[in-house]
């Protein structure tokens, strides 16, 4: 289905009824004469981004230079963004994405004032900033962010591990970075960038780029300036910043951990094998092309498990279980260095190209490091997650179970970031592997990453590539797999490869025995996290309270520090309105903001009628101030929070 491009539909109205924040000069409406050089993928209809105002065929940003100061009192970043522009011959303007930015001035690189207009604000997409180029190829914007910028979370000292200093971090995916960087915020418009970030002493700034000044440079006002450089073109959502009381510990010659001092020993132990992860990934699909691979372990409010920001993955502390049992999350974020960062979905309709490839690659890394059975357990759990995601999407006929989505401009791209992209995408690739053989498929994938390195990609582009390189002499196998059905049709095709874990057989039997009234002693003690999660998920959703009490008394699920096990337990316990688990739920939901855990638990409570709604609202009133906007935005919808509080 073809959708109308938002930049065409909304820009006209924005220019006709601008907000008044503009220069006095007029912006020429002259028709552009020819397009600038862009990736060929961006010239295809499938690469039209309905969630960006940008018109890259007329003018596109190629480089961003940030010079910003962090104001922890006002909760704003202020300074300049200088954009290098590549424009078509005769192009008179460039259109940028912004959200809640206060624009002070727009000039060229030499200080000459450029005419500009800020269009009407859209609650999802922000406002287009249209700048007259006036024969310049550099645009400098002086601005500051809003205290409520959706990409930024400002934490009080009490919300950090050390309790002494404030903290700031950004989260840009999918279209949030426009709330702190005025640029073309579309994943297909890759940009190099550099930054100078000034922060109060004794805080440290880190970014998803090469750190040019590890110790910072002293500047006036008891502040320090940190400088960064990313010389490889990246999707703009991957520009990331964090500021806090941060320390570093190396785990290898090109890997290490950044986090608060109070967290450093635990984090360094948990992720001590980071260098081995990079080695394993390289052995599968070629050289790691980003230089260093470090982790930043964030405060608990970080909304995702991890975010694959180049050179510096942002990761949740909920991955720290104390026994390295949840390190598959790191394998996933590292794999993004190839699928997602190196080859990136051109629009959010093809989010699966990032996450499906990465989930497949993650499992291969885990197999290489931990063996086939560990990888099989995680793949088997992912299969169950996929089936649940299909049900949550509305069943196998729902268009939201397609890999390639057709998100209109009125649909938040965040809504398309479901388990379908991750698990159906990985199952698709696993099905291809089974059909052609692992060696042949690995050879293809390595070539695919090389051919499309540092470029955007669409589903149509991937299918064209795989037919040309993997199935050129074997069209019958391609037809038998049903490539187009997998990509463009809803549901899970009948030929999907389901990896079964042999270790789970014992867990399934134990769950069945316990459900039938068997003794608690029949449930094994010495099992892996994955086996424990499988056991809990295989239990009937309705259990008598005395059986739940027996389980918790034996295994202490309500107190476990393993976030995956605790989540599985709480989903079961709250679904049975088991009152003794409420205190555990409150502690869990108020101590971390990872949306993967938070949203389903609040949804489960909301489904439990008056009992659950009362508990949910009591907990959320306490938890919401500590959540990132990504998480609170989702839970607000689940609990209809605005309607309740207005």
């Amino acid at each position: 289905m073809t959708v109308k491009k938002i930049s065409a539909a909304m820009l006209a109205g924005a220019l006709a009824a601008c907000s008044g924040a503009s220069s006095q000069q007029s912006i020429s409406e002259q028709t552009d004469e020819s397009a600038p050089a862009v990736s060929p993928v961006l010239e295809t209809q499938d690469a039209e981004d309905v969630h960006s105002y940008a018109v890259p065929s007329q003018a596109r940003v190629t480089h961003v230079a940030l010079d910003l100061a962090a104001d922890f009192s006002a909760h704003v970043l202020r300074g300049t963004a200088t954009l290098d522009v590549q424009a078509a011959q005769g192009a008179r303007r460039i259109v940028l994405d912004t959200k809640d930015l206060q624009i002070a001035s727009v000039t060229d690189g030499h200080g000459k004032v450029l005419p500009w207009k800020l269009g009407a604000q859209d609650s999802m997409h922000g406002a287009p900033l249209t700048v007259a180029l006036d024969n310049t190829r550099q645009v400098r914007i002086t601005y500051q962010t809003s205290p409520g910028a959706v990409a930024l979370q400002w934490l009080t000292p009490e919300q950090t591990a050390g309790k002494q200093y404030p903290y700031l971090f950004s989260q840009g995916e999918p279209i949030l970075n426009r709330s702190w960087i005025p640029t073309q915020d579309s994943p297909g418009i890759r940009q190099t960038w550099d930054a100078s970030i000034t922060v109060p002493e004794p805080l440290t700034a880190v970014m998803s780029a090469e750190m040019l000044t590890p110790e910072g440079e002293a500047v006036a006002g008891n502040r320090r300036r940190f400088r960064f450089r990313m010389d490889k073109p990246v999707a703009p959502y991957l520009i990331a910043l964090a500021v806090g009381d941060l320390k570093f510990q190396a785990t290898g010659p090109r890997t290490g951990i950044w986090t608060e001092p109070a967290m450093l020993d635990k984090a360094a132990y948990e992720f001590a094998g980071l260098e081995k992860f990079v080695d394993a990934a390289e052995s599968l699909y070629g050289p790691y092309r980003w230089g260093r691979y470090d982790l930043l372990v964030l405060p608990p409010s970080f909304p995702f498990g991890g975010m694959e920001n180049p050179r510096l993955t942002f990761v949740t502390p909920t991955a720290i279980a104390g026994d390295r049992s949840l390190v598959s999350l790191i394998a996933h974020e590292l794999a993004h260095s190839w699928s997602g960062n190196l080859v990136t979905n051109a629009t959010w309709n093809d989010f699966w190209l990032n996450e499906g490839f990465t989930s497949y690659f993650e499992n291969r890394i885990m197999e290489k490091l931990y063996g086939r059975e560990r990888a099989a357990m995680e793949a088997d759990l992912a299969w169950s997650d996929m089936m649940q995601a299909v049900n949550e999407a509305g069943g196998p006929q729902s268009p939201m179970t397609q890999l390639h989505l057709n998100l209109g401009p009125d649909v938040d791209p965040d809504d398309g970031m479901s388990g379908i992209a991750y698990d159906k995408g990985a199952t698709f690739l696993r099905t291809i592997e089974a059909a052609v053989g692992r060696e042949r498929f690995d050879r293809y994938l390595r070539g695919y990453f090389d051919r499309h390195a540092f470029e955007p990609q669409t589903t149509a582009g991937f299918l064209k590539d795989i037919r040309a390189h993997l199935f050129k002499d074997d069209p019958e196998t391609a037809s038998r797999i049903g490539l187009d059905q997998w990509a463009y049709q809803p549901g899970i095709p009948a030929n999907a490869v389901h990896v079964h874990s042999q270790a789970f057989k014992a867990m399934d039997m134990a769950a069945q025995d316990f459900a039938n009234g068997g003794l608690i002693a029949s449930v094994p003690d010495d099992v892996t996290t994955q086996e424990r999660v499988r056991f809990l998920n295989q239990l009937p959703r309705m259990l008598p309270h005395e059986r739940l009490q027996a389980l918790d008394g034996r295994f202490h699920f309500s107190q476990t520090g393993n976030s995956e096990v605790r989540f599985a337990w709480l989903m079961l316990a709250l679904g049975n309105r088991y009152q003794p688990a409420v205190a555990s739920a409150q502690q869990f939901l108020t101590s971390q903001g990872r949306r993967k855990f938070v949203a389903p638990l609040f949804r489960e409570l909301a489904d439990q009628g008056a009992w659950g709604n009362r508990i949910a609202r009591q907990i959320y009133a306490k938890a919401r101030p500590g959540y990132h906007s990504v998480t609170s935005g989702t839970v607000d919808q689940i609990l209809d929070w605005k309607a309740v509080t207005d």
Side-chain angles (χ1 to χ4, degrees):
M1 181 177 70
T2 301
V3 291
K4 195 170 185 180
K5 196 176 191 306
I6 193 169
S7 54
M10 300 184 70
L11 180 57
L15 292 174
C18 69
S19 66
S22 66
S23 72
Q24 297 303 307
Q25 295 171 270
S26 64
I27 296 179
S28 170
E29 298 299 322
Q30 176 177 330
T31 303
D32 302 324
E33 297 173 3
S34 63
V38 297
S39 169
V41 172
L42 293 187
E43 297 177 342
T44 67
Q45 187 177 39
D46 281 354
E48 289 188 54
D49 188 352
V50 301
H51 295 105
S52 171
Y53 295 104
V55 188
S57 61
Q58 296 179 6
R60 57 163 298 191
V61 175
T62 59
H63 182 82
V64 178
L66 299 172
D67 188 352
L68 299 173
D71 185 336
F72 278 86
S73 297
H75 288 180
V76 299
L77 296 172
R78 58 172 64 93
T80 63
T82 303
L83 313 178
D84 291 350
V85 176
Q86 185 175 354
Q89 183 179 358
R92 300 300 186 188
R93 62 188 181 274
I94 185 168
V95 186
L96 308 173
D97 296 300
T98 74
K99 189 168 188 179
D100 298 323
L101 299 181
Q102 298 180 32
I103 309 296
S105 66
V106 181
T107 69
D108 67 10
H110 302 288
K112 176 184 175 182
V113 173
L114 297 175
W116 59 278
K117 288 189 177 182
L118 190 64
Q121 179 88 358
D122 173 84
S123 61
M124 184 189 308
H125 303 99
L129 174 60
T130 305
V131 180
L133 291 176
D134 199 17
N135 296 317
T136 187
R137 292 299 177 260
Q138 194 170 73
V139 174
R140 179 169 297 151
I141 303 163
T142 302
Y143 70 101
Q144 74 174 34
T145 62
S146 163
V150 290
L152 304 177
Q153 185 169 22
W154 303 83
L155 303 178
T156 66
E158 292 72 26
Q159 292 173 302
T160 68
K163 311 298 183 186
Q164 291 186 347
Y165 301 102
Y167 201 109
L168 164 66
F169 69 86
S170 72
Q171 169 51 47
E173 191 180 36
I175 58 171
L176 304 184
N177 264 0
R178 62 192 66 181
S179 69
W180 73 284
I181 306 171
T183 188
Q184 292 176 319
D185 190 15
S186 173
I189 307 177
R190 301 179 72 108
Q191 302 151 32
T192 55
W193 61 276
D194 62 78
S196 174
I197 307 294
T198 303
V199 303
E201 292 271 18
L203 304 184
T204 297
V206 294
M207 296 190 79
S208 52
E210 180 185 2
M211 196 173 193
L212 302 178
T213 54
E215 302 301 323
E217 303 164 330
V219 296
N222 197 31
R223 297 170 70 83
R224 298 193 75 78
R225 179 172 56 233
F226 294 84
R227 294 186 292 111
F228 306 88
R229 176 179 59 206
M230 173 51 70
D231 60 358
K232 298 172 178 62
V234 299
Y237 71 87
L238 292 171
I239 304 174
L241 166 68
V243 180
D245 178 21
L246 301 175
K247 301 299 179 185
F248 177 79
Q249 182 168 323
T251 56
R254 54 179 172 172
T255 60
I257 310 295
W258 285 96
T259 193
E260 296 179 73
M263 292 284 293
L264 190 55
D265 288 345
K266 288 183 179 180
Y269 171 80
E270 201 77 12
F271 307 123
L274 205 51
E275 195 79 27
K276 294 180 180 179
F277 276 72
V278 180
D279 292 341
E282 286 186 316
S283 72
L284 289 166
Y285 298 127
Y288 177 78
R289 309 187 194 208
W290 303 93
R292 292 196 59 82
Y293 183 72
D294 295 325
L295 301 183
L296 171 66
V297 181
L298 286 131
S301 61
F302 186 60
F304 297 149
M307 184 61 212
E308 63 272 15
N309 303 311
R311 294 179 62 100
L312 185 65
T313 281
F314 284 22
V315 65
T316 172
T318 64
I320 299 176
D323 59 3
R324 300 172 179 164
S325 61
L326 303 179
V327 292
S328 60
L329 184 149
I330 304 306
H332 184 93
E333 303 309 329
L334 170 62
H336 269 303
S337 301
W338 286 260
S339 47
N341 297 0
L342 191 64
V343 184
T344 309
N345 49 227
T347 77
W348 299 110
N349 280 328
D350 289 324
F351 181 60
W352 82 273
L353 291 175
N354 282 17
E355 297 298 348
F357 274 69
T358 295
S359 296
Y360 171 84
F361 192 175
E362 164 201 344
N363 195 250
R364 294 292 307 278
I365 294 172
M366 293 302 292
E367 179 179 325
K368 194 167 191 66
L369 290 175
Y370 294 94
R372 284 184 176 272
E373 186 50 45
R374 170 72 175 268
M377 285 192 286
E378 295 187 352
D380 209 349
L381 289 174
W383 178 275
S384 299
D385 291 342
M386 177 176 67
M387 292 306 180
Q388 182 178 347
V390 169
N391 291 334
E392 292 175 351
Q397 298 306 312
S398 168
M400 293 303 288
T401 64
Q402 295 174 200
L403 290 179
H404 172 78
L405 299 172
N406 293 295
L407 302 174
D410 58 338
V411 179
D412 192 324
D414 191 57
D415 294 341
M417 295 182 171
S418 75
I420 297 297
Y422 294 75
D423 299 322
K424 181 180 177 181
T427 302
F428 179 24
L429 299 188
R430 194 171 289 119
T431 301
I432 297 173
E433 177 204 314
V436 303
R438 174 168 287 189
E439 182 178 350
R440 184 177 161 194
F441 190 51
D442 279 352
R443 192 162 55 245
Y444 165 74
L445 282 181
R446 185 162 182 160
Y448 172 80
F449 291 132
D450 288 340
R451 284 188 296 277
H452 302 285
F454 304 107
E455 291 287 342
Q457 182 61 288
T458 63
T459 294
F462 163 66
L463 294 179
K464 180 179 179 181
D465 185 273
I466 199 170
R467 286 188 168 107
H469 292 92
L470 184 60
F471 296 116
K472 180 179 179 181
D473 301 319
D474 191 11
E476 291 184 4
T477 300
S479 178
R480 187 168 62 252
I481 293 170
L483 302 178
D484 288 343
Q485 179 189 0
W486 271 97
Y488 296 115
Q489 297 300 314
I492 310 301
N495 65 339
V497 170
H498 179 183
V499 176
H500 293 274
S501 165
Q502 295 302 310
F504 282 173
K505 291 182 178 179
M507 291 297 99
D508 295 349
M509 291 176 61
Q512 184 64 47
D513 181 63
F514 184 77
N516 291 335
L519 297 176
I520 192 71
S522 66
V523 182
D525 276 312
D526 187 18
V527 294
T528 65
T529 291
Q530 292 71 29
E531 289 170 296
R532 185 69 75 219
V533 169
R534 173 70 171 210
F535 169 75
L536 286 167
N537 289 344
Q538 288 297 108
L539 290 171
R541 293 301 87 186
M542 300 302 295
L543 282 173
H545 284 194
E546 59 269 20
R547 301 297 280 166
L548 294 171
Q549 184 179 22
L551 276 177
D552 202 18
R554 165 79 180 277
F555 297 110
H556 308 291
F557 290 138
S558 291
Q559 288 78 44
T560 180
N562 187 305
S563 58
E564 293 286 351
V565 173
R566 190 157 174 192
F567 170 70
W569 160 249
L570 288 174
M571 287 294 288
L572 176 66
L574 296 178
N576 283 278
R577 304 185 188 181
Y578 183 57
Q579 187 68 35
V582 171
S584 177
Q586 176 167 321
Q587 192 279 331
F588 190 58
L589 289 167
T590 56
S591 63
Q592 53 83 33
R594 187 176 175 184
R595 186 170 61 172
K596 171 187 174 180
F597 300 141
V598 169
L601 286 170
F602 276 114
R603 187 176 293 111
E604 187 64 51
L605 283 169
D607 288 343
Q608 298 305 316
W611 178 85
N613 274 275
R614 174 180 55 81
I615 293 169
R617 283 171 168 73
Q618 288 175 349
I619 294 175
Y620 193 48
K622 298 177 182 178
R624 190 179 188 277
Y627 287 165
H628 188 276
S629 65
V630 165
T631 299
S632 62
T634 299
V635 182
D636 283 352
Q637 293 181 37
I638 293 170
L639 300 182
D640 197 18
W641 188 254
K642 287 185 178 180
V644 170
T645 56
D646 284 350

